[in-house]
Amino acid sequence: MVSSDSSKVKPIEMEYEITAMHDADGVAVLEIYRQGLMTGNATFETTVPTWEDWNRGHLKHSRLVARDGSSILGWAALSPVSGRCVYGGVAEVSVYVGESGRGKGVGTALLVGLIASSEREGIWTLQAGIFPENEASIKLHLNHNFREVGRRERIGKMNGVWRDTVLLERRSEVVGMNNRE
């Protein structure tokens, strides 16, 4: 018999901390990337990159992992959107949560940490391109002051199927505010 007294129900608690990503985390980071890739709704990529290629494609700062002891539950990092200096404060967000960390607030903790880290590093705009089918990721971003700025229809073909992406953007409330005209 199940009691209706919710005070007797002990919630599942997960202990983890958000820390800086290290090269030693590369194997776990790429495994979580592989898990995302396998969903078909995380990236247009079809293969997991080498750690060297992944490392080259992401900014050196604002790389975070959710750590549960020696296990990595998820990661977040930024990629440059352009090599042009005027876009130096604009970055693309990646947040990936492994199968064992999903539904436990890991994505939220990583995104909150990534926003704070990006602002410390002078990033004034974060952007994300997300498949519309990835409703959880869209909701996560919208819950953290990203706004939908558009939809790129049939922007890429994946396994013979044209796919759309929803474009989301977050402007910092602290970086880049002094020079507004």
Side-chain angles (χ1 to χ4, degrees), residues 16-92:
Y16 57 86
E17 62 179 334
I18 305 302
T19 67
M21 182 188 297
H22 304 287
D23 284 340
D25 300 325
V27 171
V29 166
L30 294 179
E31 170 55 22
I32 291 168
Y33 186 81
R34 185 196 66 76
Q35 291 173 16
L37 191 145
M38 297 306 293
T39 69
N41 288 323
T43 179
F44 274 116
E45 295 296 332
T46 57
T47 59
V48 177
T50 64
W51 179 248
E52 292 76 21
D53 287 341
W54 186 97
N55 198 29
R56 235 184 334 274
H58 291 83
L59 296 175
K60 300 300 179 205
H61 63 77
S62 304
R63 296 176 175 196
L64 305 174
V65 293
R67 232 178 259 290
D68 179 14
S70 62
S71 297
I72 304 295
L73 303 174
W75 60 269
L78 299 175
S79 302
V81 298
S82 175
R84 296 170 66 190
C85 64
V86 297
Y87 297 110
V90 183
E92 183 172 358

Side-chain angles (χ1 to χ4, degrees), residues 12-177:
I12 297 172
E13 291 184 21
M14 191 157 197
E15 301 272 334
Y16 57 86
E17 62 179 334
I18 305 302
T19 67
M21 182 188 297
H22 304 287
D23 284 340
D25 300 325
V27 171
V29 166
L30 294 179
E31 170 55 22
I32 291 168
Y33 186 81
R34 185 196 66 76
Q35 291 173 16
L37 191 145
M38 297 306 293
T39 69
N41 288 323
T43 179
F44 274 116
E45 295 296 332
T46 57
T47 59
V48 177
T50 64
W51 179 248
E52 292 76 21
D53 287 341
W54 186 97
N55 198 29
R56 235 184 334 274
H58 291 83
L59 296 175
K60 300 300 179 205
H61 63 77
S62 304
R63 296 176 175 196
L64 305 174
V65 293
R67 232 178 259 290
D68 179 14
S70 62
S71 297
I72 304 295
L73 303 174
W75 60 269
L78 299 175
S79 302
V81 298
S82 175
R84 296 170 66 190
C85 64
V86 297
Y87 297 110
V90 183
E92 183 172 358
V93 173
S94 292
V95 177
Y96 282 77
V97 178
E99 293 165 355
S100 65
R102 293 183 189 153
K104 297 175 172 65
V106 172
T108 295
L110 284 166
L111 186 56
V112 167
L114 190 65
I115 290 166
S117 178
S118 72
E119 289 179 334
R120 284 191 301 274
E121 295 294 333
I123 302 294
W124 58 80
T125 299
L126 295 175
Q127 66 181 41
I130 303 172
F131 291 124
E133 296 84 1
N134 194 342
E135 295 172 1
S137 186
I138 291 172
K139 182 178 177 183
L140 170 67
H141 287 76
L142 291 174
N143 285 343
H144 291 88
N145 297 322
F146 282 75
R147 65 184 178 95
E148 186 174 327
V149 294
R151 184 178 181 122
R152 298 180 84 184
E153 296 178 356
R154 298 172 48 95
I155 190 66
K157 212 174 201 182
M158 188 172 176
N159 299 320
V161 178
W162 286 103
R163 301 287 302 267
D164 297 353
T165 57
V166 176
L167 297 176
L168 300 158
E169 176 182 275
R170 182 187 190 280
R171 287 292 306 218
S172 172
E173 294 180 3
V174 295
V175 178
M177 298 305 291

